[in-house]
Amino acid sequence: MLAIIGGSGLCQIEGLEIIRREIVRTPYGQPSEPIIFGMLGGKEVIFLARHGSNHSIAPHNINYRANIWALHEVGAKSIISIASVGSIPNNIKVGDFVVPHQILDYTHGRNNTFFDGKENPVKHIDFTHPYDMSLRELIIKTITQLNLRVSPLGVYAATQGPRLETAAEIDRYEKDGASVVGMTGMPEACLARELELSYVAICPVANHAAGRGESSKGISSAMLNQSSKQTIENTITILQQLVKAYGY
Ligand code: HPA
């Protein structure tokens, strides 16, 4: 089954008919909220709000291990992560969607593996291509067919947060090869890989990154927190179409 992890601006999905909620206990503690089972676009999906249903869990405090474990436990095979980002280059605009193909991880101090105990000895997963390529293709096709703006390639820089970046940090990430910046993409992606779940991210662009474009003088919290109504609607439309196209 397909699972959707909703991020900022998507703590719930309008149009998702909720069938039931399940409290899942994991060896790593509690997920961000009970797992929701519902119908979207005529198909059953699993939904989890990464920051909790009232957006109270900061990126560095999210129990990523519990979230991914719980989704695996209830039968998810693929995860679509909705993760809003700031865009670094000029040609990626606010309201665009980016489907990243690579990751740079600048986070620290987060529990980023299931393989760290006597019962789960060290295992080095292959992470050359961190996202599921065929699911990425399907997403790009779906967004294109909806006539929405999409960047079919992108390097996602995962930052620690919760503060935003300095302009110099953004310059550095750009030199490293990053095109978008967000706070939740890691360790979610590698934990999903450890449990052999396919994982992709759809990144709605909420703002220009610090020091860039409209953010040259700063980033207003209104801009960051209020994914525009239009972007949220577009995200839900993409998900509805995607669920229809996803082979169960
Ligand atoms: N930086 C980090 N995370 C973000 C941003 C940003 O500019 N916008 C949305 N999430």
Side-chain angles (χ1 to χ4, degrees):
M1 214 182 327
L2 192 64
I4 298 163
I5 301 183
S8 304
L10 207 73
C11 292
Q12 50 214 10
I13 301 185
E14 217 169 291
L16 176 73
E17 294 165 43
I18 297 177
I19 303 170
R20 66 191 169 92
R21 288 184 167 83
E22 190 174 323
I23 296 172
V24 183
R25 295 183 205 292
T26 84
Y28 305 96
Q30 279 199 327
S32 300
E33 63 163 7
I35 307 292
I36 293 174
F37 294 80
M39 298 298 290
L40 186 72
K43 299 243 182 91
E44 191 175 349
V45 294
I46 301 167
F47 179 74
L48 175 65
R50 178 188 286 122
H51 298 278
S53 51
N54 51 6
H55 202 274
S56 56
I57 312 174
H60 62 294
N61 285 330
I62 291 168
N63 191 339
Y64 294 96
R65 291 200 296 187
N67 284 353
I68 299 297
W69 187 273
L71 292 177
H72 180 258
E73 187 78 5
V74 299
K77 296 283 175 260
S78 304
I79 296 176
I80 296 177
S81 151
I82 307 296
S84 73
V85 290
S87 73
I88 300 180
N90 251 336
N91 63 332
I92 303 182
K93 313 271 184 215
V94 172
D96 286 5
F97 289 90
V98 178
V99 185
H101 70 294
Q102 275 297 335
I103 295 176
L104 289 165
D105 187 7
Y106 301 98
T107 65
H108 48 86
R110 300 183 182 187
N111 287 318
N112 64 0
T113 182
F114 293 111
F115 300 117
D116 64 351
K118 274 200 194 116
E119 280 164 29
N120 297 300
V122 177
K123 186 171 158 190
H124 303 287
I125 50 152
D126 172 52
F127 206 45
T128 312
H129 298 290
Y131 298 107
D132 183 293
M133 289 300 185
S134 55
L135 211 40
R136 283 188 66 255
E137 293 304 320
L138 185 63
I139 291 169
I140 293 160
K141 195 167 142 204
T142 304
I143 303 179
T144 309
Q145 281 171 349
L146 288 167
N147 282 326
L148 297 169
R149 282 175 55 95
V150 59
S151 291
L153 290 173
V155 177
Y156 180 105
T159 59
Q160 178 69 1
R163 68 164 176 84
L164 290 159
E165 299 72 35
T166 66
E169 283 169 335
I170 294 298
D171 290 345
R172 171 189 164 201
Y173 301 156
E174 185 175 47
K175 281 194 201 108
D176 287 354
S179 41
V180 292
V181 59
M183 298 175 193
T184 56
M186 283 295 281
E188 221 173 66
C190 63
L191 291 169
R193 178 64 56 85
E194 285 192 349
L195 295 187
E196 297 179 10
L197 299 170
S198 62
Y199 180 93
V200 281
I202 302 176
C203 300
V205 176
N207 57 283
H208 290 283
R212 302 298 172 101
E214 289 161 20
S215 306
S216 59
K217 294 209 170 100
I219 301 173
S220 76
S221 56
M223 176 134 207
L224 191 70
N225 295 329
Q226 291 297 311
S227 267
S228 83
K229 207 167 159 258
Q230 187 61 57
T231 304
I232 294 172
E233 272 176 31
N234 288 342
T235 308
I236 293 172
T237 308
I238 292 168
L239 288 172
Q240 282 168 337
Q241 292 305 114
L242 200 58
V243 167
K244 284 185 196 153
Y246 176 80
Y248 277 75

